[in-house]
Amino acid sequence: MKNYADWESHFEDEFNKISAERRHKPGAFLSVVPLGAEWENYKDFVRCGWRIGRITEFPFCLLTLYAGVAFYDYESGDYWKPFAAAVGVKSISPMQYNKLNDYLFYHAREIGLETLASSRGNDFVGTAIFQIGVPLSFWQDFLKVCENLWWREDWKSFSSDEWEAFVTRKVGGLARLKRFLVDNPKTARRFIAEVHDVRRLVASGADVAEIIQMSFLRPEHFAAAPETEQFISPQESLAFLNRFQLVWNENQAKISIYLPPVAAAELPAVWRLGETQQRADLYQHEFPINRHAFQPKISLNFEGTSKTETKKLEGIEHWAIFDDETNRLVNVECANLPLKSYTLVSAAPLEEIALKGFDEEIEENEKLNLRDGFECFINRLSPMERKAQISFVCNGEKHELKFRTKNRVEIFLLAGLACNVAQFRLFRNTLKTDCLPVPCLILPTDLFDGEEIDLAEKFKVSLDAQTGAGNWEKARDEGNQAFYFWRWDDQTRARKKVDLTIESEGLAIRKEFKIEILQPKANLVDCWTNLPDKFLPFALLAQPNFKSDKGTTFDEMHEIKEIVQPHGRFVNLGFFHFYENLGVLKSSGKRWQFAQSKIYFGANNGENFLRFCGNPSLLWQMLRYAAEKLPDENFRKIEVISKKGDVTHLFLKLTEQQKILGEKYVRDNGGNFNLTKVDEKWEENL
């Protein structure tokens, strides 16, 4: 756009897309403010010919400038310092900003936007902030306040003194955010309610892409704080959000841009980046760019039926971090990144790498050629503790990143605790077990603001719609997280087939599990008492996963471990890669599964035994089969063998009949369950 008239027309068109109802809500004008690269272009234009008397002639240009500075650049009580920087001058005099403020209020009222007043009169800065909701610099910490108030029913009726007391208690150490919340209570409280409304709409099953498009949310909110997606949709990843995203795919050795859908009226159309191009489409799809990702800014050109435009995207100047769960580019400007597994990709080897809390045995600077031949280097970050950090030197500059446990609620189901952890079978999404499974809960420690609450009321557990008799028991506190499991009352009994439900109105979720309770085998009572012990990684991987049919991530196993075996260090990724090389495990992306469980039946000095490595729930099924056929024979205790230089496995002495029935079960059913009988030497056949 070449002049003010062009920008004015563009901004007015964007404003006209806002519904009349929405124009009176906090953040209403934010959709008019340009995205990052276009915002920089607009500021460059304003700087070139900055004159107060000129911009005030164009209402939407002036409003957009006020709102953009409030959103992108406002960090403290001094609004005019970033405003002066935006327009390219050293300072804005009182006479100048009084004139600008008068025009701001006049234009805002003329087009129907809400304006604010304070005890001193018209609140100009407050009005600018109201139009964008929350400055981006406050967003990550602001979300924590939203999460806390989500669980409270009384916050909307707080008096001004109660509001200030709450803010001081929650964010007292964050002076800028505290000042913002206390100085702008109307904006802050109304915007919190708006954020809560978006979460309720998502939970109701409404179209998420449409909700995001109609709400205040922008790509910058998701980039500034990974918690945005977690808050809006606590239990499901919003992978389908229609926005440009840089994504990493190690298995296919490529870096791509996820392109948003294009309106049918603009098709056929293409996206171009240098000499490469990708056809535009009605749905979100990827554009492999590989070596072209390694530049500070990516200029993506769109050529449609009726328009052409250029999108400026953040690239990889020297290095970048990708989330292993979503494969998306991570914003490293966050003060503390969520503690999970990441892949750090760089154009050159990193130097002076120092890890704390991450697996230090993983190879550094592993070379990888992308599909177009470009050589890059990867460093895998796999957390071993509840907080971690990495420092390194890249291109002569030192960088340091800190990671903390995720500030979100997690709900999952274990087959059992202690020796019951592997006694189950998952068949067609029905969990078959001879004991009641265990609901589990992970909560941020400050979720309820230190108030005494009834967890059983906030997170209800029921069997066949009857509230389950029991209580949430804390397994441990670790960092900023608390781990709970559901302890059933001793008198709780379940019929053969039941629906187990975990429900939270606060999270607006309801999880249902099909359970079939089997008759316990008296002759197996002592068989499993030595587990899980060193067989813990296999027991965790065996747990029923209702999230994905592609397996369990290392991070998910680490979380389960905190409840099954709260104390002690977990194994590193090298453990899983070792058993992958033996053919027992397999990986799909960052998720792990059992590939082939191995069982060996042998005899020594006339005494029969078995050795087993793999999914322990398969061994449980086999032993139940044999126990049913031999009700008068008690089974010995399983031993966990874990010696240095040996394969970690289970060892069980058998009678002759137990061995015969075990071999028959494997012969008849092994092919269905990826359970293989090996012969001769145990280690060689693994």
Side-chain angles (χ1 to χ4, degrees), residues 407-476:
N407 189 38
R408 68 181 297 178
V409 175
E410 299 280 359
I411 297 174
F412 55 93
L413 188 70
L414 293 180
L417 294 176
C419 63
N420 295 319
V421 71
Q423 299 184 47
F424 73 94
R425 178 189 179 190
L426 189 61
F427 180 70
R428 294 178 180 175
N429 283 328
T430 296
L431 183 66
K432 299 188 175 189
T433 176
D434 55 14
C435 63
L436 280 168
V438 181
C440 298
L441 188 59
I442 304 176
L443 299 178
T445 52
D446 62 349
L447 183 61
F448 300 109
D449 194 30
E451 293 185 354
E452 289 293 329
I453 53 95
D454 183 0
L455 266 188
E457 182 62 29
K458 295 289 186 182
F459 298 90
K460 296 179 180 178
V461 178
S462 59
L463 292 172
D464 280 346
Q466 299 296 316
T467 302
N471 60 83
W472 289 107
E473 186 170 311
K474 184 180 289 188
R476 69 177 301 187

Side-chain angles (χ1 to χ4, degrees), residues 604-641:
N604 185 23
N605 295 326
E607 190 169 52
N608 298 299
F609 63 87
L610 68 79
R611 298 183 189 272
F612 177 89
C613 183
N615 186 343
S617 71
L618 298 183
L619 181 61
W620 178 77
Q621 294 171 48
M622 187 199 81
L623 294 179
R624 270 188 64 88
Y625 166 81
E628 187 170 334
K629 299 290 185 181
L630 302 169
D632 297 326
E633 285 193 17
N634 289 325
F635 285 71
R636 306 280 288 274
K637 285 186 180 181
I638 297 172
E639 298 176 43
V640 179
I641 307 298

Side-chain angles (χ1 to χ4, degrees), residues 503-534:
E503 185 174 16
S504 168
E505 292 184 7
L507 283 177
I509 63 167
R510 177 184 172 87
K511 290 197 171 188
E512 294 184 355
F513 306 94
K514 299 290 185 184
I515 311 296
E516 183 175 344
I517 303 298
L518 306 176
Q519 184 68 32
K521 300 299 179 184
N523 49 349
L524 286 177
V525 169
D526 296 327
C527 190
W528 294 87
T529 53
N530 287 329
L531 268 76
D533 196 35
K534 297 293 185 181

Side-chain angles (χ1 to χ4, degrees), residues 311-328:
K311 296 288 186 183
K312 297 284 188 180
L313 312 175
E314 293 294 329
I316 304 172
E317 187 168 7
H318 301 295
W319 60 274
I321 285 186
F322 292 88
D323 184 324
D324 281 356
E325 184 177 350
T326 65
N327 295 324
R328 300 180 202 164

Side-chain angles (χ1 to χ4, degrees), residues 133-197:
V134 175
L136 200 56
S137 63
F138 300 150
W139 180 248
Q140 187 173 30
D141 292 317
F142 178 78
L143 269 181
K144 297 176 184 177
V145 176
C146 293
E147 178 72 62
N148 181 266
L149 292 178
W150 174 263
W151 298 92
R152 299 188 61 151
E153 299 176 356
D154 59 342
W155 70 273
K156 290 184 179 180
S157 61
F158 281 175
S159 67
S160 58
D161 289 341
E162 288 174 328
W163 173 253
E164 185 170 354
F166 166 78
V167 169
T168 301
R169 186 169 66 254
K170 289 303 297 178
V171 299
L174 303 170
R176 293 187 304 114
L177 179 60
K178 177 185 175 183
R179 188 183 304 116
F180 165 75
L181 294 172
V182 172
D183 292 349
N184 303 275
K186 182 177 180 181
T187 299
R189 292 164 74 165
R190 286 179 60 179
F191 200 65
I192 290 168
E194 182 87 351
V195 175
H196 287 176
D197 286 343

